[in-house]
């Protein structure tokens, strides 16, 4: 029997990550947070102030400011080799809204959505909210999709495959070969990929490839949030073929109307302005990753080297016990089970905090986990 929207909301839980933050004491070192610890670059902030003073404070078009969509179209071409015209790009309130409206527009009750397990918390929750059933695909010890295994989970009810590379929580990056194989599955089986690419600029080995390079059945989700350290500005965007945009816009126009006009002007400065700030963040994250991995390995903890994002996902054994013990000793982390059943035994450490804090935290880990 179909469950109504209101009942689906009642069935939702408060995110496991939020519960941990609430239990943390003051002065704790936060390795639980999923946002860059850098200030938004000055030229972006200046543009926002200018936007307010120049009166960019009204609604924009539902799709977003034309000049921003034009700049994003150029970004897709230059950085991703993708031909999206401005009319195929929609500005959203963060990537979160993009994921929500894409699932709402695409899924019917009874459809199946394939999500990575472990995977970012929103995918399962928002798929269920859309009325679809969630089909978690275990990522295995490599912590990324094996396209062959993924294929085994496709049924005639599969509507969407959620792909997230680089991944939260594992930090893993799918290779171009794997991305192509997943894109081919989507084309062959007439399934849509929702490709969440918010960490595309934080890759330390390998390169970012969007499945949209190989299939038209893709809704590409992205945001300024992580790239330019703008999580609070709520500025995201999605790109897809017109058939998708037409449907997704119907949801967006009523739930959001338009993204924040000031953030849109700021994002225009971010996308068209100097990109050194992004490279600097990436290098800082790389240093921290290398340090954290070195320390975890020296402790004898099993951890696949994350190639992207800003998370390490070591196997600890009893993830809830480890997180509780660390919390008692002043380190906030996230249990793998917050990201799905297959996260059991893993802990997510975010290195979006200073190297100094990471050094203190690994000192505590040596006492608590070894
Ligand atoms: N997608 C992934 C994989 C994330 O990790 C996050 C935030 O942590 C989001 C989407 C949400 O991004 P936004 O803040 O742009 O809504």
């Amino acid at each position: 029997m179909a469950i109504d929207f209101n009942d689906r909301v009642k069935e939702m839980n408060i995110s496991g990550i939020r519960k941990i933050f609430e239990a943390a004491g003051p002065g704790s070192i936060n390795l639980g947070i999923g946002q860059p610890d850098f200030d938004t670059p000055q030229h972006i902030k200046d543009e926002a102030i200018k936007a307010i003073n120049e009166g960019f404070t009204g609604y924009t078009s539902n799709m977003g400011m034309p000049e921003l969509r034009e700049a994003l179209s150029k970004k897709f071409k230059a950085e991703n080799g993708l031909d999206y015209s401005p009319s195929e790009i929609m500005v959203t309130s963060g990537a979160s809204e993009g994921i929500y409206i894409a699932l709402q527009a695409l899924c019917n009750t009874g459809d199946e959505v394939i999500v990575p397990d472990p995977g970012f918390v929103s995918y399962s929750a928002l798929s269920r909210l859309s009325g679809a059933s969630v089909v978690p695909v275990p990522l295995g010890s490599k912590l990324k999709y094996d396209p062959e295994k993924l294929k085994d989970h496709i049924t005639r009810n599969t509507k969407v495959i959620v792909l997230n590379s680089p991944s939260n929580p594992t930090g893993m990056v799918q290779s171009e070969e794997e991305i192509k194989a997943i894109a081919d599955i989507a084309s062959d089986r007439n399934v849509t990929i929702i490709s969440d690419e918010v960490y595309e600029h934080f890759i330390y080995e390998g390169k970012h490839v969007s499945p949209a390079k190989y299939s038209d059945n893709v809704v590409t989700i992205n945001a300024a949030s992580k790239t330019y350290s703008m999580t609070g500005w709520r500025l995201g965007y999605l790109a897809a073929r017109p058939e998708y945009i037409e449907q997704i816009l119907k949801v967006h126009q009523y739930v959001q109307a338009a993204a924040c006009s000031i953030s849109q002007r700021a994002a225009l400065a971010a996308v068209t302005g100097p990109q050194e700030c992004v490279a600097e963040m990436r290098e800082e994250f790389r240093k921290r990753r290398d340090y954290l991995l070195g320390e975890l390995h020296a402790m004898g903890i099993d951890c696949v080297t994350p190639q992207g994002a800003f998370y390490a996902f070591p196997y600890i054994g009893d993830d809830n016990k480890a997180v509780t013990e660390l919390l008692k000793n002043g380190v906030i982390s996230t249990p793998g089970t917050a990201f799905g059943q297959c996260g059991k035994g893993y802990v997510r450490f975010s290195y979006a905090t200073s190297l100094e804090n990471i050094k203190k935290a690994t000192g505590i880990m040596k006492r608590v986990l070894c």
Side-chain angles (χ1 to χ4, degrees):
M1 198 180 65
I3 306 174
D4 287 336
F5 188 87
N6 183 244
D7 290 332
R8 296 201 290 271
V9 173
K10 284 182 190 152
E11 278 178 6
M12 290 173 93
N13 297 316
I14 295 297
S15 145
I17 302 174
R18 190 157 306 157
K19 279 186 201 157
I20 290 163
F21 284 1
E22 280 159 13
S28 299
I29 300 169
N30 197 342
L31 304 190
I33 195 122
Q35 67 175 343
D37 54 314
F38 305 99
D39 199 6
T40 303
Q42 192 59 46
H43 68 283
I44 302 175
K45 293 196 288 190
D46 289 345
E47 192 58 38
I49 293 163
K50 202 162 143 237
I52 296 172
N53 288 332
E54 289 180 0
F56 285 100
T57 53
Y59 290 125
T60 68
S61 117
N62 292 141
M63 289 281 282
M65 286 177 181
E67 54 276 42
L68 175 56
R69 288 185 288 122
E70 187 72 51
L72 290 170
S73 168
K74 288 187 183 139
K75 176 255 174 232
F76 275 119
K77 184 75 188 157
E79 292 186 356
N80 310 98
L82 299 175
D83 283 309
Y84 282 120
S85 69
S87 65
E88 294 171 309
I89 297 169
M90 184 189 300
V91 185
T92 59
S93 291
S96 302
E97 194 224 346
I99 300 164
Y100 174 74
I101 58 178
L103 286 164
Q104 287 292 331
L106 287 168
C107 296
N108 283 322
T109 304
D111 287 341
E112 291 173 1
V113 177
I114 287 182
V115 301
D117 185 1
F120 178 51
V121 289
S122 297
Y123 305 144
S124 299
L126 295 181
S127 298
R128 279 194 206 96
L129 200 56
S130 77
S133 304
V134 175
V135 179
V137 171
L139 297 186
S141 56
K142 289 193 177 146
L143 297 177
K144 52 183 183 165
Y145 276 141
D146 172 338
E148 281 306 311
K149 290 207 183 103
L150 189 146
K151 208 188 273 178
D152 293 343
H153 288 77
I154 299 211
T155 71
R156 57 190 181 80
N157 294 325
T158 308
K159 194 53 139 326
V160 169
I161 299 169
V162 178
L163 176 63
N164 175 217
S165 175
S167 151
N168 175 9
T170 71
M172 296 309 285
V173 177
Q174 303 275 167
S175 69
E176 177 151 16
E177 209 182 3
E178 290 160 345
I179 295 280
K180 181 178 183 312
I182 297 166
D184 287 347
I185 295 169
S187 297
D188 294 347
R189 307 295 294 265
N190 199 22
V191 168
T192 300
I193 297 175
I194 293 183
S195 179
D196 180 346
E197 304 177 16
V198 295
Y199 295 102
E200 72 162 323
H201 288 99
F202 299 129
I203 294 189
Y204 317 108
E205 280 92 37
K207 61 168 182 167
H208 176 70
V209 179
S210 173
K213 186 174 168 192
Y214 294 108
S215 174
D216 277 347
N217 292 11
V218 177
V219 178
T220 304
I221 307 273
N222 213 323
S225 308
K226 317 279 177 181
T227 308
Y228 300 102
S229 198
M230 294 176 69
T231 52
W233 299 61
R234 311 312 303 134
L235 200 291
Y237 51 97
L238 61 78
R241 298 298 160 219
E243 315 80 84
Y244 287 118
I245 292 290
E246 204 178 297
Q247 294 308 307
I248 297 171
L249 181 60
K250 289 182 198 166
V251 186
H252 172 77
Q253 68 183 343
Y254 293 120
V255 298
Q256 200 57 44
C260 167
S261 57
I262 300 150
S263 297
Q264 289 192 62
R265 289 295 295 182
L268 178 60
V271 175
T272 57
Q275 300 299 303
E276 288 81 15
C277 50
V278 183
E280 279 164 22
M281 271 196 272
R282 183 167 50 243
E283 283 320 301
E284 182 59 30
F285 282 140
R286 182 201 300 276
K287 266 190 230 152
R288 297 172 185 180
R289 178 203 65 161
D290 291 347
Y291 180 83
L292 178 58
L293 258 282
E295 290 295 293
L296 290 171
H297 287 157
M299 285 180 236
I301 292 172
D302 182 14
C303 187
V304 180
T305 302
Q307 303 146 325
F310 35 72
Y311 309 105
F313 202 61
Y315 186 81
I316 305 273
D318 183 337
D319 55 317
N320 280 308
K321 185 165 167 248
V323 167
T324 309
E325 286 305 311
L326 284 170
L327 197 56
K328 276 193 218 155
N329 286 276
V331 176
I332 304 172
S333 58
T334 315
T337 36
F339 304 100
Q341 284 303 311
C342 297
K344 194 168 165 36
Y346 293 87
V347 173
R348 188 190 74 173
F349 293 129
S350 159
Y351 45 91
T353 186
S354 68
L355 193 55
E356 196 190 340
N357 276 343
I358 296 169
K359 285 184 179 169
K360 279 189 208 150
T362 50
I364 295 169
M365 285 178 206
K366 277 180 200 149
R367 279 195 280 116
V368 174
L369 302 178
C370 296

